[in-house]
Amino acid sequence: MLSNEIEKAYELAREQYAKHGIDTDQVLEQLDKIKISVHCWQGDDVRGFLFQDQDLSGGISVTGSHPGAARTAGELRQDLEQAFSMIPGRHKVNLHAIYADTDEKPDLDEIMPHHYEPWVEWAKEQGLGLDFNPTCFSHEKSKEGFTLSHPDASIRQFWIDHCKASRRIGAYFGEQLGQTCVTNIWIPDGYKDTPVDRMAPRKRLMESLNEVFAEPIDPAFNVDAVESKLFGLGSEAYVVGSHEFYMGYAIKNQKLTCLDSGHFHPTETISGKLSSLALFTSGLLLHVSRPMRWDSDHVVVMDDELLEIARELVRHRLLDVTHIGLDFFDGSINRVAAWVIGTRSTIKALLRAMLEPVETLKQAELEGDYTTRLALTEEFKSYPFGAVWDYYCLKTGVPVRETWLEQAKDYEQNVLLPRWNSSLS
Ligand code: RNT
Ligand code: ZN
């Protein structure tokens, strides 16, 4: 599409939205401020660089063998740069502890900020923020399926020390980059079969977390989040860190609750939870994912639930208190494209939500005019948000519509496939 065609289409769209009191220029300004935390682990199927001989564990799994997964931190950064060149806006990168970039071989309880220095330098250069996660899986000491709630005090201590070290790294990121880092704790702990004692592991987890968070850290640099889950592979019957557990913990201790879209019953949505949690917590972290029949971590697309999450954030003005992170991993397609598709879809969904006549709809609802509510909601589905999106991509200098795919395929030919071939020889 030619740029003057995109501009013409935008002008027409702008007029149509203006009739409903929606200022598209202002919407684009607001959209441009939103930072998505792009998860590094889509780039290498959650392998990381610290323990490459360890298989992925913790009840999560990646399928697919598309060639070209990053094998080093340098390759991963190169792939992320490529993805960001096709995504409008300035964002953050979400690192897991196992993505340390160092020649030293620290164990997880020994990690220190300098092990991540190349990431910090790169983030500065690229104008990116960083988020962080302790990696409580794919490790010798997590193979029994328990970490912070392990019955053995010495194993528990190892994971407590790992989480403490992680928070300090988060604080270092925040201080160095001048933007708050979110350090999110997710642990796989749980039982495959029905337990007798559901309470003792939860009590141990609570006590471990209290130790982890004992050290005060300036919230300007690092804030902590805790992520719940309903079940995992091998923890079908019982997960220690359930939703109720972490919701209670986070509210009591002023932590962020992390809601992952794949971590609930199949018909239960996180969009439905935001308005309640927002009333009682200081902030939220989202792991936007796409569960298909189970917590399958498919690449995020603009489906009904993504739109509904976006609407909740926009309608209740929750964007300022919500950290939006992505969490999916698909090894069956081009991994750079996976980032681009998931991130563009998330931004696009937020844009669509901003282009709805929220005040009119709220008023209709308040007056009991449910006919107007339904009719307008439905008609707005075919309003020309695509023209506004194209214009946003044009103005921010990223590929418009599917033209990015050509760029992604070129990158695959020139970088990813040669990389794969060389790794085989
Ligand atoms: C697992 C959780 C967790 C992980 C990442 C890799 O079910 O969703 O967030 O996906 O930490
Ligand atoms: Zn998650």
Side-chain angles (χ1 to χ4, degrees):
M1 258 182 122
L2 294 171
S3 65
N4 63 342
E5 284 174 24
I6 295 167
E7 281 175 10
K8 235 192 279 167
Y10 175 69
E11 284 309 317
L12 290 174
R14 181 159 71 168
E15 280 168 32
Q16 291 179 57
Y17 284 112
K19 283 189 193 140
H20 287 272
I22 302 162
D23 181 334
T24 52
D25 291 335
Q26 253 177 32
V27 162
L28 289 183
E29 254 175 57
Q30 197 196 347
L31 187 70
D32 202 48
K33 290 191 190 120
I34 296 175
K35 286 180 190 293
I36 307 291
S37 183
V38 177
H39 56 313
C40 73
W41 51 92
Q42 163 62 63
D44 76 331
D45 307 341
V46 208
R47 294 209 72 80
F49 312 118
L50 278 185
F51 311 101
Q52 285 192 312
D53 48 333
Q54 285 274 343
D55 282 333
L56 177 60
S57 74
I60 55 179
S61 150
V62 187
T63 51
S65 54
H66 196 85
R71 299 158 305 175
T72 63
E75 288 181 352
L76 190 57
R77 284 191 287 269
Q78 190 190 4
D79 293 354
L80 280 161
E81 273 178 43
Q82 187 57 219
F84 282 123
S85 74
M86 298 179 257
I87 296 167
R90 283 220 174 284
H91 303 284
K92 294 175 103 181
V93 168
N94 197 6
L95 291 179
H96 243 285
I98 47 171
Y99 289 81
D101 185 5
T102 170
D103 293 334
E104 297 171 33
K105 293 262 162 254
D107 204 348
L108 290 174
D109 57 343
E110 301 160 342
I111 51 166
M112 294 207 277
H114 73 265
H115 297 130
Y116 301 84
E117 196 53 38
W119 284 106
V120 174
E121 288 313 311
W122 175 74
K124 280 185 190 163
E125 212 181 271
Q126 303 283 319
L128 295 161
L130 288 176
D131 290 318
F132 200 62
N133 306 259
T135 309
C136 302
F137 52 86
S138 303
H139 187 276
E140 179 60 27
K141 286 199 167 66
S142 69
K143 68 174 196 283
E144 282 147 14
F146 288 87
T147 61
L148 289 176
S149 74
H150 200 289
D152 180 329
S154 70
I155 295 188
R156 237 166 30 238
Q157 194 59 49
F158 173 83
W159 293 108
I160 291 170
D161 291 341
H162 173 49
C163 291
K164 282 181 164 176
S166 296
R167 293 180 75 225
R168 284 184 211 123
I169 291 160
Y172 179 73
F173 287 174
E175 185 232 302
Q176 286 292 308
L177 300 173
Q179 36 179 318
T180 313
C181 169
V182 180
T183 296
N184 175 52
I185 298 184
W186 171 74
I187 59 165
D189 303 27
Y191 285 117
K192 181 184 176 80
D193 220 331
T194 313
V196 172
D197 190 347
R198 289 186 171 82
M199 189 132 174
R202 290 190 169 136
K203 190 158 174 287
R204 289 195 292 267
L205 175 56
M206 181 179 74
E207 287 163 1
S208 294
L209 290 172
N210 289 345
E211 257 192 75
V212 167
F213 297 131
E215 183 181 332
I217 286 184
D218 187 339
F221 298 147
N222 182 74
V223 292
D224 307 293
V226 284
E227 179 179 5
S228 68
K229 188 164 179 165
L230 177 67
F231 81 95
L233 298 170
S235 60
E236 287 84 354
Y238 166 82
V239 165
V240 183
S242 62
H243 179 50
E244 292 72 15
F245 176 89
Y246 280 128
M247 189 168 65
Y249 191 90
I251 291 173
K252 186 169 173 197
N253 298 288
Q254 306 269 308
K255 301 295 168 199
L256 304 183
T257 309
C258 172
L259 297 174
D260 182 310
S261 10
H263 288 190
F264 295 87
H265 284 279
T267 59
E268 196 179 354
T269 57
I270 65 165
S271 56
K273 300 178 189 300
L274 300 175
S275 49
S276 303
L277 274 170
L279 292 175
F280 302 105
T281 53
S282 51
L284 294 161
L285 169 64
L286 304 185
H287 268 192
V288 183
S289 193
R290 178 165 56 108
M292 192 175 294
R293 306 187 193 285
W294 74 293
D295 181 26
S296 59
D297 289 298
H298 277 69
V299 177
V300 165
V301 295
M302 196 171 52
D303 57 10
D304 284 351
E305 172 59 358
L306 184 65
L307 277 170
E308 211 51 31
I309 292 170
R311 288 187 178 119
E312 288 296 303
L313 298 179
V314 169
R315 287 179 187 169
H316 314 314
R317 301 203 166 80
L318 298 181
L319 285 163
D320 290 342
V321 292
T322 307
H323 304 267
I324 307 171
L326 303 176
D327 186 11
F328 51 78
F329 21 97
D330 188 342
S332 74
I333 61 172
N334 177 313
R335 293 170 186 80
V336 174
W339 272 320
V340 177
I341 294 164
T343 316
R344 281 176 70 115
S345 302
T346 305
I347 302 169
K348 219 188 290 176
L350 288 163
L351 170 65
R352 258 184 93 169
M354 289 174 179
L355 292 173
E356 287 183 344
V358 179
E359 291 315 315
T360 312
L361 288 168
K362 280 188 182 168
Q363 194 54 35
E365 183 167 275
L366 207 59
E367 288 165 6
D369 185 358
Y370 307 137
T371 312
T372 297
R373 181 180 66 183
L374 186 62
L376 261 189
T377 309
E378 216 39 31
E379 286 303 328
F380 259 78
K381 286 182 182 167
S382 51
Y383 262 58
F385 72 89
V388 183
W389 168 251
D390 291 347
Y391 179 76
Y392 179 52
C393 290
L394 179 76
K395 287 290 142 190
T396 50
V398 302
V400 175
R401 298 198 186 179
E402 66 278 9
T403 55
W404 66 265
L405 187 57
E406 215 175 295
Q407 190 178 322
K409 295 262 179 180
D410 279 350
Y411 186 74
E412 178 163 308
Q413 276 308 316
N414 299 327
V415 180
L416 300 180
L417 291 178
R419 176 190 290 174
W420 179 257
N421 291 337
S422 73
S423 76
L424 289 178
S425 58

